[in-house]
Amino acid sequence: FFNSALSSKVVNNFHFRIPELDNSTVFIHKKDFDKIFDYKYEEASNVKIFLKSLDIQDEVVENLKSQLIQESLDFYILTFDDRYNVFLSTLFDIFDSISIVIYILTIICLFNIGSSLWLIIESKNKDINVLRLLGMSNIRLYFIFFTITTTMVFLAFLVAYIFSLGLIGIQNTFQLISLPVDVYIVENLKGVLDYRYLVKILSILFLSAIILSILTFVRNYFSSKGRVNV
């Protein structure tokens, strides 16, 4: 490490035509800064603020602007979104594509659960008919259907959740999937679970479990009624 910045010399100007690279900040000694810009600025400084969450980025920017305007200071604020706008939009597009795949897999999973549920109910038709003959109400019978459906759905979600935690732990520990430094901004690919997204998926699964239990119950009710009439 150097105790002070090395003297620098501007050789030429060029652009990468990549905003993430063209907007990069360069730190140089103030004396060199004065030479390069012909003493245009008496004072120049740079302050970096690291936020734990991007959700409060806009609020922090507005607070900074109001404080700096009160002090009558010239300033320029470059946010993470401003600097990595193209990069972030690309990531969001990739995430949207992955989300579509996840929703399709979720629908396939629900179809499999629905078919498995119907096979279970069909194998227990005699028991269900006995319960009806003994006077069990339709509401209590439906509760049995609902319990079986939600148990299957939440077990599937729990297995997927544990499997995801295992994959993320392996990736973060051993870095099985690596990124080339000369292509990407980051070198290490680390995984995290977005719990807001998990809550969304869990809510969809819960609503689907209710719909599946209702459809299965109605189908079983009319099929058993038809068999009794025959």
Side-chain angles (χ1 to χ4, degrees), residues 112-125:
N112 291 331
I113 291 175
S115 60
S116 301
L117 176 65
W118 180 245
L119 290 175
I120 293 172
I121 299 301
E122 280 293 304
S123 66
K124 299 296 181 180
N125 260 325

Side-chain angles (χ1 to χ4, degrees), residues 159-169 193:
V159 171
Y161 175 72
I162 295 173
F163 183 72
S164 301
L165 283 180
L167 284 180
I168 290 174
L193 279 177

Side-chain angles (χ1 to χ4, degrees), residues 145-180:
F145 282 66
F146 176 75
T147 303
I148 295 173
T149 308
T150 51
T151 301
M152 294 176 65
V153 168
F154 283 112
L155 280 176
F157 177 81
L158 183 62
V159 171
Y161 175 72
I162 295 173
F163 183 72
S164 301
L165 283 180
L167 284 180
I168 290 174
I170 293 172
Q171 171 62 25
N172 293 346
T173 304
F174 302 103
Q175 289 296 311
L176 300 179
I177 302 174
S178 59
L179 300 175

Side-chain angles (χ1 to χ4, degrees), residues 108-125 128 141-156 205-221 223:
I108 295 173
C109 175
L110 289 174
F111 273 114
N112 291 331
I113 291 175
S115 60
S116 301
L117 176 65
W118 180 245
L119 290 175
I120 293 172
I121 299 301
E122 280 293 304
S123 66
K124 299 296 181 180
N125 260 325
I128 295 172
L141 278 174
Y142 169 72
F143 184 74
I144 295 174
F145 282 66
F146 176 75
T147 303
I148 295 173
T149 308
T150 51
T151 301
M152 294 176 65
V153 168
F154 283 112
L155 280 176
L205 290 175
F206 181 72
L207 292 175
S208 302
I210 296 175
I211 296 172
L212 280 175
S213 60
I214 292 174
L215 292 176
T216 307
F217 175 77
V218 171
R219 183 178 176 183
N220 177 265
Y221 176 78
S223 62

